[in-house]
Structure formats: C-alpha cells, structure tokens
Amino acid sequence: MMEAGTKPRWVGHADLDAFYASVEERDCPEYRDRPVVVGALPGHRGVVAAANYRARTFGIHSAMPIAEAYRRCPDAVYLRPDKAKYARVSRQIFEVLGTLTPVVEPVSVDEAYLDLTGLEKLVGPPETIGREIKRRILEATGLRASVGIGPNRLIAKLASEHRKPDGLMVVPADQALDFLAPMPVANLRGVGRETQKAFARIGIRTVAQLRAIPLRYLQEALGKGAAASFHAQALGIASADVISGRRRKSISKEATFEEDVRDRDILHDVLRNLAAEVASTARRENLYGAVVTLKIRFAGFETHTRQHALSTPTHDERMILGEAWRLFHHGKLPNKPVRLIGVGISRWAQAQSAQAELFGATQQRDKDERLLETIDRAAARFGKGALQVGCRTKPSNRKPR
C-alpha cells in the first residue's frame, strides 16, 4: 500500500510482439497474413527461435523442433534468424524509449522497463504515456508493441502480457489486487511445470486462491523461499525500481523444450543461438566474462549447472559456445533427454588478463576484437547477410574445473 502523501510510482513495461517474426513481416509484406517461423529450416536439425501469432494458432512456439513445426504447418514461411538485423532494430527501439524517459532498463533485445513517474506533467496521464510509447515505436520502426503500466515491475509486466498483441493496459495501485485475482497462478514470475503441479496438488489454480491460503501451508508445499516469493506476488508486492545502466552480475539465456530432447545436433543448434545472444549483449554493454556457465534441466525439475573459468575473459560467441559444449560433454551429466538448456557468462574482467599481455596473445586478441567490431559495424550498416562468424563445435578432452 502507498503511504498518504507519497507520490504514486508508475513503472512501464514495453514488449515487442513476436519480435523476430514481426521484423521479417515488416520487411517482406508478402509474409503478412501468413504463419511465419524463424529458426532452423525444414529438412535441417534445429528449433524454432520465434513464431508470429498466426503460426502460434497451429501450436508452434519457440524451442520446438523444426520438424514438429513443419508437421503442424508445412505452408508456413520458414526463415533463418538474422540476428544482425534484429540487433539494429533493437537499438532503434531503445533510442525511441530514451526520448520519453532517461530511465530505461533493457531486459532483452525486445523488452524493457521504464520509470514513468512524473511524466504526467509532461505527457499526460498513464494511458496517454502508453499510447505515446506505442506510437513512437511504430513510427520509428514499423513495429507494434504491447505496453503495461502499473505501480511496480510485476504489475507492469503482467499488464503488458494481458492484452497482447498490440495491447495497452494501465493498472493503478488501488486496482492491482482485483487485476491479479482471477489470473492463473502460471502467470506469476518463476512458476514452472513442477511448481504448477505443486499448486495443483493443494488446489490452487488462481492468484485469488493463492492469496487466501495460509503461508505455512505454502511453505510445506513449496519451501520457505518459494512460498514467500509467490505469496508476495499474489499480494501485488514487487520492486518499483528501474535502473538505467544497471551493471549485471551475469548475462544468460536459456530455452525450454516442449518435449524433452536427446538429439545432440538440436541441442548444439540451440546452444549456439543462445551463446550468440549472450555474446551480443555483452559486446553491447562492453562486458567481458571470465566464467562460462552451462545449465541443464531434465524431467522432474532435476537441474545441473557446470562452470569453467577462462584464462582470458571474452564476449566472443565462439569461445562461449566452445566452453559450454565442452561442459556438456565432460561435465559428468546424466545421460537423459534434456528439458531446458542455457548458457551464461559472469565474473567481469578486463579484456586483457596478465596472461594475455604476452605479445602473441595480445596480437591474437587484437585481431579477434577487430573481427567482432567489424561484424557489429556491418550489422549496424547492412543488416541481413552482412558478416557471420563461425563457432568451434568439436569438444576437446579437457575436463571442466
């Protein structure tokens, strides 16, 4: 609850609708009104990276094996991802958001939180601010966004999801509990399949039911930490802080499969895409990670993480993928089908370690940095088909630390 006399906080959440697929539809009008799937091509091993809303009516979603997507909709438009173009459009979007408020916190290439507190005097009420966000993004990029505005990050995020695609929803603080009450608990942050099963066992399906159950019963079913988190969300309690230029502790990306995957080629293809996204984000923020982390989840929520410390910090997808794939092969992981796979980097360090000060190592690093800078410049200028970088895939015999 807000104390009397306290200025109301307004947090915005802007989320581009089916970002990759929408960019492709924008650039090729003949794709409009057709299912569009971005990812591997039919006949090749790999997965869906993104699907537009028409494709989703066929049950196609991200991380689905491309063979299954093709079986469901052979007439869809299938395209390889053009990460360079998407990165260029992403930069445009964040530039647009920065024209409304200086406090913008990127979450991924296509979504961000915004501190909108105090903009009423400059722009108008929250509904007007939301319409202005959508208008400016559409005018600058030709893309549509869903926008949610609320008293904190949780409500803003749920509001932006509530009326997708091309939605706008404002939830004042005094309406937050009513907004949350009928929602499925699956909408809350951090609710996975196993948590949903735990909720179902104790008869909880909606946020209102979650809110009504005594906390001690939740703790017995979920454990103290998870129970406290979900109970707070049910009461609409969350942070309202939006931090521009927040220094991350880590950068990570993960993908969850609808059906468990054993095929190593599919797993490698997904891991390669995740490593490229992690590396692109790190380069944009001028961060070099000294530790690579692999995350693997199997059925029954069995989760394993493996880490390896690099001799030289990096934001190069080739190194990130190479280390993650070695961890997959040499990390003594169970030989089971995979439910989720993820990769991340952390422990920021300077680009040059003491070991890299050797003349030969420095020369090689300079060459690598020039290559990455060239790739990024070409992406910004030319977009699709500019430059691509290969990634080592053959694991070595070196064991992870």
Side-chain angles (χ1 to χ4, degrees):
M1 295 294 290
M2 190 173 61
E3 296 180 8
T6 302
K7 183 171 66 173
R9 295 293 304 273
W10 289 111
V11 175
H13 182 263
D15 191 2
L16 276 290
D17 301 323
F19 180 53
Y20 290 0
S22 294
V23 172
E24 300 296 348
E25 287 182 73
R26 179 200 68 178
D27 293 348
C28 296
E30 63 269 27
Y31 296 160
R32 294 172 187 170
D33 300 321
R34 293 187 62 186
V36 176
V37 178
V38 179
L41 298 179
H44 295 76
R45 291 184 174 181
V47 298
V48 174
N52 70 357
Y53 286 89
R54 189 171 291 272
R56 294 179 196 184
T57 64
F58 293 88
I60 298 173
H61 53 78
S62 61
M64 173 181 283
I66 204 68
E68 175 62 17
Y70 186 75
R71 186 189 68 78
R72 295 186 181 212
C73 188
D75 296 328
V77 176
Y78 289 88
L79 302 167
R80 288 293 295 161
D82 184 359
K83 296 294 181 63
K85 178 166 65 174
Y86 308 148
R88 187 175 70 255
V89 177
S90 175
R91 286 192 291 272
Q92 287 181 284
I93 293 165
F94 289 119
E95 288 173 3
V96 168
L97 296 177
T99 65
L100 270 166
T101 172
V103 188
V104 178
E105 182 181 329
V107 179
S108 66
V109 294
D110 63 342
E111 66 172 310
Y113 288 101
L114 305 93
D115 189 344
L116 306 177
T117 306
L119 285 187
E120 299 98 316
K121 294 180 180 179
L122 298 173
V123 182
E127 290 85 356
T128 302
I129 297 171
R131 286 194 294 269
E132 186 65 12
I133 292 170
K134 291 166 60 66
R135 185 191 69 78
R136 293 191 190 188
I137 290 175
L138 180 62
E139 188 176 89
T141 68
L143 301 175
R144 299 186 184 278
S146 291
V147 175
I149 299 176
N152 58 46
R153 297 166 69 100
L154 171 69
I155 302 301
K157 170 76 170 175
L158 292 174
S160 73
E161 294 174 348
H162 196 64
R163 290 182 177 165
K164 269 185 166 291
D166 196 20
L168 169 61
M169 187 168 194
V170 176
V171 182
D174 60 1
Q175 297 177 23
L177 293 180
D178 290 339
F179 169 65
L180 290 170
M183 281 189 180
V185 288
N187 288 16
L188 298 179
R189 307 301 92 184
V191 178
R193 294 180 185 177
E194 296 305 312
T195 306
Q196 288 186 58
K197 291 177 183 177
F199 279 139
R201 284 195 293 268
I202 56 178
I204 294 176
R205 291 179 175 79
T206 68
V207 173
Q209 291 173 326
L210 172 59
R211 192 184 299 158
I213 194 169
L215 182 57
R216 64 181 181 276
Y217 293 143
L218 278 181
Q219 292 173 342
E220 291 174 2
L222 305 173
K224 287 187 177 182
S229 172
F230 293 128
H231 189 255
Q233 290 188 61
L235 294 173
I237 299 171
S239 171
D241 293 337
V242 180
I243 303 175
S244 180
R246 180 195 297 267
R247 185 172 175 85
R248 306 165 181 256
K249 293 183 179 179
S250 63
I251 299 172
S252 63
K253 295 288 181 181
E254 59 188 42
T256 301
F257 302 105
E258 185 69 19
E259 297 180 2
D260 296 357
V261 173
R262 188 181 289 276
D263 190 310
R264 298 295 177 91
D265 289 334
I266 289 178
L267 294 172
H268 184 271
D269 187 60
V270 172
L271 196 61
R272 182 178 65 241
N273 289 334
L274 296 174
E277 290 191 42
V278 167
S280 176
T281 300
R283 288 200 296 272
R284 186 172 66 244
E285 300 184 14
N286 196 30
L287 296 172
Y288 294 80
V291 172
V292 173
T293 300
L294 175 73
K295 178 179 178 181
I296 298 289
R297 179 171 295 157
F298 304 102
F301 217 68
E302 178 188 354
T303 304
H304 299 261
T305 59
R306 299 290 185 269
Q307 290 187 330
H308 180 251
L310 304 172
S311 59
T312 304
T314 189
H315 54 200
D316 186 329
E317 49 260 50
R318 295 168 298 178
M319 291 184 64
I320 296 169
L321 174 62
E323 295 301 331
W325 198 236
R326 274 187 283 271
L327 288 168
F328 182 85
H329 279 278
H330 300 310
K332 298 181 180 179
L333 294 164
N335 185 22
K336 300 177 182 179
V338 174
R339 172 72 51 85
L340 172 150
I341 191 167
V343 64
I345 56 174
S346 58
R347 195 188 299 168
W348 311 127
Q350 297 295 320
Q352 298 285 358
S353 67
Q355 180 177 350
E357 291 298 332
L358 298 173
F359 177 73
T362 301
Q363 256 192 341
Q364 182 59 49
R365 172 168 288 281
D366 287 345
K367 289 172 64 176
D368 288 343
E369 285 298 313
R370 286 196 297 271
L371 172 62
L372 295 173
E373 288 172 6
T374 301
I375 291 169
D376 290 338
R377 283 199 304 270
R381 183 174 180 184
F382 300 111
K384 188 172 183 177
L387 288 175
Q388 295 180 342
V389 60
C391 298
R392 280 185 302 150
T393 62
K394 185 178 179 180
S396 72
N397 293 322
R398 178 163 49 82
K399 304 294 183 183
R401 296 175 185 171

